[in-house]
Amino acid sequence: MLKMLENILGEKYHFHGFSKGARALKFLTYKVPSLLILDIDMPELNGFELLKIIKNDENLKNVPVIFLTSNGDRDHVIGAFKTGANDYVVKPVKEEILMEKVLKLMNDKSNKDMFF
Amino acid sequence: MSHEIRTPINAVLGMNEMILRECKDEQLLSYAANIQSSGKTLLFLINDILDLSKIESGKMEIIPVEYELFDLLLDLWNVIYMRANEKNLKINFLIDETLPKTLYGDDVRVKQIVTNLLTNAVKYTPEGEVELKVNYQKDQDNTILLIISVKDTGIGIKQEDMGRLFEDFRRLDEGKNRKIEGTGLGMNITLSLLKLMGGDINVESEYQKGSVFTVKIPQKVVNNEPCGSFEKARNMQRQGKLGSQESFEAPQANILVVDDNAMNLTVFKSLLKRTKVNVVTASSGKECLELVKKSPYHIIFMDHMMPEMDGIETLHEIKKLTDFPNDGVPIIVLTANALSGARESYLAEGFTDFLTKPIDGDKLEKMIVYYLPKEIVHKKENDDSQTEESSSNKSEYDKYSEYGISIEQGLSYSKGNLDVYLDLIDMFLNDDNQQDKLEKFIFEENMNDYGIQVHALKGNARTLGANELADIAFEHEKQSKAGNIDYVDQHWGELVEKWNTAREGFEQFCIDNGRIEADESETVDMDREIFEISPEDFEAAASLIDDFETEKALEMLNQWLKNNLRQDERKRIKSAVMALEKEFDEEKAIEILRGN
C-alpha cells in the first residue's frame, strides 16, 4: 500500500511513509507535514488514536488529514470526520481521485507531504 | 459405485473452483469458499463410508503382495512429517533394525491402519511429540507378528470413554473436540481391517497426558535379512538414492510441460536433467495449443490451475484438434489436488494420468518410463556421481529453521541434488517482480489475481522448504479467494516479513554453500581490498534514520553497497534497505544497523 502511494505521490511531493503509528507520531514531533494520509489499521497506534492526538496538538491540529477506509465503511467515515479528518478515500484508491483530493487540500501551501 | 458418488462431488468442487477464480462478487465468493470446505469434508466422509460399506458387505478384500518394509515406513514418514511440522510437533520413528527386510501382506491396508493412528495422534496432540515404534515377535516358521505402536503426548481418552472408541461416527469428548476434522469413522475402519488381517489392537491412555495405540498384524516373511537403520534409509531417500537405483536415459524423448509458474517449469526440467530427455516448456494453455499443432511429443504434462485457459480447458481444446502431430499422445495433469477421488475425476475429463505437486522426482521418472515407447528408453545403473551428503548434514541444516526453512524438505523436492536446489533458490531470490505485483493487486483490491499470484508464492516456498512463508501465503490465498481484502491488507506486512526472513535464510544458505549471487558486483573480490565499514559509520546511518533523514540514510547505504564488502555486512545493509524501502519500518532498520 505504502509503496503504491509512494509511486503515485512521490514524484510530485516529498513523501515519508511509516508502517507503524507510533513511529509516525514521533516524526510529527520533529516535523509538521503539509498533509497527512492515515490508514485506520496500523500496529501499536491505530489511525483513530493518532488522529485524536494530532487534533489535540497545537502545532499539528491544522494539518489536513485524508483518511483511508475500506469498502466505504460508514461508521469509519463518520468517526473520522467527527475526530477531525478533512476528507476520506475509499480503497481501492483510484489514482486520479486521490490526486484531486491531495491537490485540493494542499492548496499550494508548500511542497511537503507525508503519508502512512 | 464409488466412482458414481465421487464424480458428481468432484464436478461440484470443480465448478465451484471456477466460481472462486472468476467471480468478483464478494458475497458469492464467501458462499463459494463455504461450498469448497464443506465439499471437501463431504468427500472425506464419503471415502470413509465407502470403505466401511465395503467392509460391512464383505467386499473388502485383503490383497497380499510382496513389499519392502522400508518403502512402507518411508511413505508413512512422508505423510506424517508434513502434518506434524505444521503443528510444530516432534516426530520420532523407532524401528527395530533386525526386522525382516521384505514381507508379504496387504501393504496398502497396513499403511491405511498406521496412517489413521498417526494422523489421529497428530490431530489430538496440541504440543509435544508423536512416536512410532515398530518391532516384532516370531510367530510361526515364516510368519512374524508385526508390532506397531503409536504414542502421543496428546489430550488422551477418559477411562469411561474407552469402550466407545470403536463405535461408528464416534468422536470422544464431543464438546471439546468439535473443531477437529474427520468423520469419526477412522477407528472403526482400522478395527475392521485388523480383523480381516487377523490382527488386533490395544489402547492405553491417560486423560490429559497421552495415548498409546498398539496394533499387532501377522505378516509372512519373504526375505529374513535385517532391514537396518531407518534413519539411514531416510537420508538415502532424501538424496534420491532409494527406489531409484535403476535410472534411465532417453535422449530421443520429447516432452512438453505446460505451467504458468516459471519456477515449476524449472523444477520439472531440473528433475529430468540427468535423463537427457528433451523438455519443451509452455507457460500457458494458448502457447501449448500452438506447440502441439507444430511438433510431435511423446508425453504432455499439463498444470491444472492456470490463468485465462486452465489445464482442463486446454485439454478439451486439444481433443477437438484433428490432423495434428499429437493425436493420442498421453496428457498427464499436474495438480496440487491430492484428494482421493480427484484422480478419477481428472481421468473422466480425459487426462491419461495424474501427478501431484510438488512433483516427486521418483514418481515423475517412473511415470515417464511407463508412457515412453520402450525402444527409446535406456535403463542404466544409478551413478554415484551425485553429491554425497552425509547424515551429519541434518544437524548442520537445523540452523536454517530460524529462518522458517527446512533445507531437508527443500532438498528432498530437488531429489537431493544440491545444484538443482541452489538454482531454484537463485530464481526465488531474483524474482523481485512478484512482491510488486502482489502489492499492486492489494492496492487495486484485485483479490482474484492476488489469489493466483499468492498461490504461486505458496507453491514456490513449499518447494524450497520455506514452510513458514508457505503457511502465511496459504492463509492469504484462502482469504483472498474468499474476497477478504481487509484480512489481506492487514496481514500484508506479516507476509513481507516472512518473505524477507526466508530470503535472508536462503542468501545465507547460498553463502554457506559457496554459491554467491551471480551478479559480479555482489561478490567479495578477494584480490581487492575489502571496504571496511566501522561501527561508527553504522551508527551514523542509524542516527540519520532516527532523525527522519531516511533519504540521506538510504543514499549512504546504497553507496556502501557499491563497494567490495564482507558478505555479512552486505547482508546487514541489504536487510536495512529492505526494511526501509519495502516495509517502511524505520525502527527495524535502525535495529539492524545498530546490530541489536
Side-chain angles (χ1 to χ4, degrees):
Chain A
M1 191 71 196
L2 280 164
K3 195 84 207 159
M4 298 306 300
L5 288 174
E6 185 176 27
N7 291 345
I8 296 176
L9 300 161
E11 269 183 35
K12 209 165 172 190
Y13 302 104
H14 179 85
F15 177 96
H16 209 126
F18 298 96
S19 58
K20 290 176 182 160
R23 176 73 186 163
L25 182 62
K26 199 172 170 198
F27 175 86
L28 292 170
T29 60
Y30 277 70
K31 286 179 187 168
V32 179
S34 311
L35 179 81
L36 194 61
I37 299 182
L38 264 181
D39 197 358
I40 296 171
D41 296 305
M42 285 182 298
E44 292 168 22
L45 189 67
N46 76 31
F48 278 126
E49 291 163 337
L50 189 57
L51 184 63
K52 270 185 207 151
I53 296 172
I54 292 165
K55 290 298 163 189
N56 284 320
D57 185 287
E58 270 310 306
N59 288 329
L60 296 168
K61 68 180 181 190
N62 293 324
V63 176
V65 176
I66 297 179
F67 232 77
L68 284 180
T69 165
S70 312
N71 307 323
D73 187 328
R74 267 187 64 197
D75 293 344
H76 281 167
V77 174
I78 293 167
F81 276 128
K82 279 191 175 159
T83 323
N86 300 68
D87 206 340
Y88 73 101
V89 176
V90 183
K91 292 192 266 184
V93 180
K94 294 264 180 307
E95 192 175 332
E96 309 82 59
I97 296 180
L98 178 70
M99 277 316 273
E100 277 306 314
K101 295 195 172 191
V102 168
L103 276 172
K104 198 180 112 209
L105 284 172
M106 295 284 282
N107 208 12
D108 292 331
K109 273 187 191 164
S110 80
N111 65 343
K112 276 212 161 186
D113 207 356
M114 81 148 235
F115 309 93
F116 44 123
Chain B
M1 170 69 178
S2 70
H3 185 66
E4 281 81 353
I5 295 183
R6 282 183 189 124
T7 308
I9 297 176
N10 277 314
V12 170
L13 281 171
M15 292 296 152
N16 189 56
E17 184 78 34
M18 303 300 286
I19 300 177
L20 281 171
R21 288 177 44 201
E22 286 173 16
C23 178
K24 302 234 185 289
D25 184 304
E26 283 180 25
Q27 193 61 45
L28 287 181
L29 280 168
S30 82
Y31 293 149
N34 279 326
I35 294 177
Q36 190 184 36
S37 90
S38 306
K40 283 187 178 170
T41 312
L42 185 60
L43 204 55
F44 279 124
L45 184 69
I46 281 168
N47 284 329
D48 277 358
I49 291 174
L50 286 172
D51 268 358
L52 202 66
S53 72
K54 252 191 196 169
I55 291 168
E56 282 170 353
S57 60
K59 290 209 176 101
M60 176 68 85
E61 278 178 68
I62 294 300
I63 307 165
V65 292
E66 209 176 289
Y67 69 92
E68 299 293 321
L69 181 62
F70 270 180
D71 283 350
L72 187 148
L73 292 172
L74 286 167
D75 280 351
L76 286 171
W77 171 271
N78 292 335
V79 168
I80 213 63
Y81 176 78
M82 296 279 269
R83 292 193 189 204
N85 222 2
E86 280 166 15
K87 284 185 78 176
N88 277 328
L89 296 175
K90 210 177 145 216
I91 282 281
N92 205 2
F93 272 35
L94 300 171
I95 314 296
D96 184 342
E97 296 194 6
T98 64
L99 271 157
K101 207 172 166 202
T102 317
L103 299 174
Y104 182 81
D106 190 337
D107 60 334
V108 175
R109 298 303 173 187
V110 174
K111 208 189 298 176
Q112 188 177 354
I113 290 169
V114 188
T115 304
N116 182 38
L117 296 179
L118 284 170
T119 43
N120 269 347
V122 170
K123 265 191 231 169
Y124 293 102
T125 304
E127 58 183 32
E129 70 168 5
V130 170
E131 179 187 282
L132 176 90
K133 205 172 185 177
V134 185
N135 50 29
Y136 68 109
Q137 275 170 13
K138 284 209 170 115
D139 198 10
Q140 292 152 13
D141 266 358
N142 63 342
T143 310
I144 57 161
L145 212 48
L146 204 54
I147 305 170
I148 305 171
S149 69
V150 175
K151 186 174 155 191
D152 63 57
T153 57
I155 57 175
I157 305 163
K158 284 180 191 157
Q159 204 54 40
E160 62 265 33
D161 281 341
M162 283 286 219
R164 289 153 56 202
L165 192 57
F166 299 102
E167 285 173 25
D168 290 0
F169 300 104
R170 174 63 69 186
R171 191 173 287 155
L172 302 176
D173 224 347
E174 191 86 38
K176 214 174 188 176
N177 296 329
R178 65 186 183 284
K179 280 190 183 156
I180 294 201
E181 63 189 82
T183 58
L185 281 173
M187 285 313 290
N188 192 292
I189 295 171
T190 300
L191 191 64
S192 305
L193 288 173
L194 275 168
K195 271 187 200 156
L196 280 171
M197 290 194 280
D200 64 31
I201 185 164
N202 176 46
V203 187
E204 287 165 40
S205 186
E206 201 177 330
Y207 190 55
Q208 307 289 22
K209 289 268 170 65
S211 313
V212 187
F213 286 78
T214 307
V215 294
K216 291 183 181 172
I217 312 169
Q219 298 281 283
K220 285 193 175 129
V221 177
V222 176
N223 181 351
N224 221 345
E225 201 184 314
C227 63
S229 153
F230 179 69
E231 195 61 23
K232 216 167 163 185
R234 225 163 44 69
N235 280 324
M236 273 165 72
Q237 186 200 37
R238 194 157 56 80
Q239 294 151 30
K241 284 180 177 288
L242 203 76
S244 59
Q245 297 303 319
E246 203 180 34
S247 186
F248 74 98
E249 276 185 3
Q252 289 152 280
N254 286 311
I255 288 178
L256 175 64
V257 50
V258 191
D259 198 318
D260 60 305
N261 183 326
M263 183 129 151
N264 284 344
L265 292 173
T266 311
V267 172
F268 197 95
K269 272 170 132 173
S270 313
L271 289 174
L272 292 177
K273 210 166 169 184
R274 64 181 177 136
T275 65
K276 301 201 169 105
V277 165
N278 301 311
V279 180
V280 177
T281 60
S283 57
S284 69
K286 215 171 137 199
E287 199 184 338
C288 163
L289 283 173
E290 290 306 311
L291 288 168
V292 295
K293 284 180 204 158
K294 283 184 201 147
S295 2
Y297 298 97
H298 293 102
I299 309 172
I300 299 168
F301 285 90
M302 180 107 63
D303 182 33
H304 175 193
M305 297 288 283
M306 290 186 290
E308 288 171 35
M309 191 193 274
D310 74 15
I312 295 177
E313 288 169 75
T314 312
L315 172 85
H316 290 168
E317 288 303 312
I318 294 176
K319 298 271 176 191
K320 280 187 208 155
L321 296 174
T322 49
D323 195 23
F324 74 119
N326 287 292
D327 207 1
V329 165
I331 304 178
I332 297 164
V333 66
L334 302 170
T335 173
N337 180 0
L339 285 179
S340 74
R343 183 193 171 87
E344 283 81 354
S345 75
Y346 282 117
L347 299 192
E349 289 287 349
F351 283 105
T352 320
D353 212 330
F354 162 100
L355 192 64
T356 50
K357 295 203 290 189
I359 297 169
D360 175 287
D362 279 340
K363 285 190 185 144
L364 175 65
E365 282 193 14
K366 274 182 192 152
M367 197 166 267
I368 288 176
V369 169
Y370 184 80
Y371 286 107
L372 280 181
K374 298 290 158 275
E375 57 275 16
I376 63 168
V377 178
H378 312 289
K379 302 247 176 185
K380 61 164 194 167
E381 284 299 305
N382 202 6
D383 58 356
D384 278 321
S385 62
Q386 275 194 19
T387 350
E388 183 91 21
E389 311 276 337
S390 73
S391 57
S392 68
N393 276 353
K394 190 184 177 313
S395 55
E396 189 190 314
Y397 293 152
D398 280 352
K399 72 172 181 185
Y400 300 100
S401 63
E402 69 172 277
Y403 300 102
I405 301 170
S406 161
I407 298 288
E408 207 181 10
Q409 188 191 319
L411 262 172
S412 77
Y413 286 137
S414 305
K415 276 193 98 180
N417 187 325
L418 189 63
D419 280 338
V420 171
Y421 186 45
L422 284 165
D423 282 347
L424 295 177
I425 290 176
D426 259 359
M427 280 192 74
F428 178 82
L429 289 175
N430 291 318
D431 188 359
D432 298 331
N433 238 332
Q434 209 175 10
Q435 194 166 327
D436 291 346
K437 269 193 213 157
L438 281 169
E439 205 150 14
K440 190 166 154 270
F441 293 143
I442 298 184
F443 191 72
E444 295 166 348
E445 293 208 345
N446 178 351
M447 284 297 102
N448 200 34
D449 287 339
Y450 183 88
I452 293 173
Q453 194 71 28
V454 85
H455 169 84
L457 172 66
K458 177 198 75 182
N460 293 347
R462 195 72 79 198
T463 306
L464 293 175
N467 287 325
E468 287 183 13
L469 173 61
D471 290 344
I472 288 201
F474 183 43
E475 197 51 44
H476 275 247
E477 183 189 347
K478 281 193 288 189
Q479 298 289 348
S480 58
K481 280 188 174 166
N484 194 349
I485 170 81
D486 286 346
Y487 178 92
V488 171
D489 197 21
Q490 281 165 30
H491 293 80
W492 169 247
E494 220 171 282
L495 182 77
V496 172
E497 205 177 319
K498 283 277 178 248
W499 204 339
N500 287 341
T501 312
R503 279 195 190 113
E504 277 173 35
F506 285 131
E507 271 168 17
Q508 190 57 47
F509 184 74
C510 286
I511 294 165
D512 293 347
N513 285 282
R515 170 85 65 111
I516 305 159
E517 284 135 297
D519 185 353
E520 275 297 308
S521 67
E522 303 265 306
T523 61
V524 188
D525 184 349
M526 296 316 269
D527 299 332
R528 268 167 56 206
E529 200 183 333
I530 302 264
F531 184 82
E532 291 289 345
I533 302 170
S534 68
E536 291 76 27
D537 293 337
F538 275 113
E539 178 51 41
S543 298
L544 275 176
I545 302 170
D546 212 5
D547 295 340
F548 299 100
E549 298 287 356
T550 314
E551 275 171 31
K552 281 186 192 154
L554 271 170
E555 213 172 286
M556 188 170 187
L557 297 175
N558 283 320
Q559 197 58 42
W560 286 348
L561 286 172
K562 288 182 188 153
N563 292 293
N564 193 31
L565 298 174
R566 282 210 323 266
Q567 281 295 348
D568 58 333
E569 289 193 341
R570 175 173 298 281
K571 200 181 124 194
R572 192 163 147 203
I573 296 164
K574 275 175 124 182
S575 302
V577 170
M578 199 110 81
L580 289 175
E581 286 189 335
K582 300 241 174 185
E583 296 171 46
F584 292 89
D585 193 340
E586 302 185 339
E587 281 154 339
K588 187 175 170 187
I590 294 169
E591 268 180 31
I592 293 168
L593 292 170
R594 290 195 171 139
N596 295 334

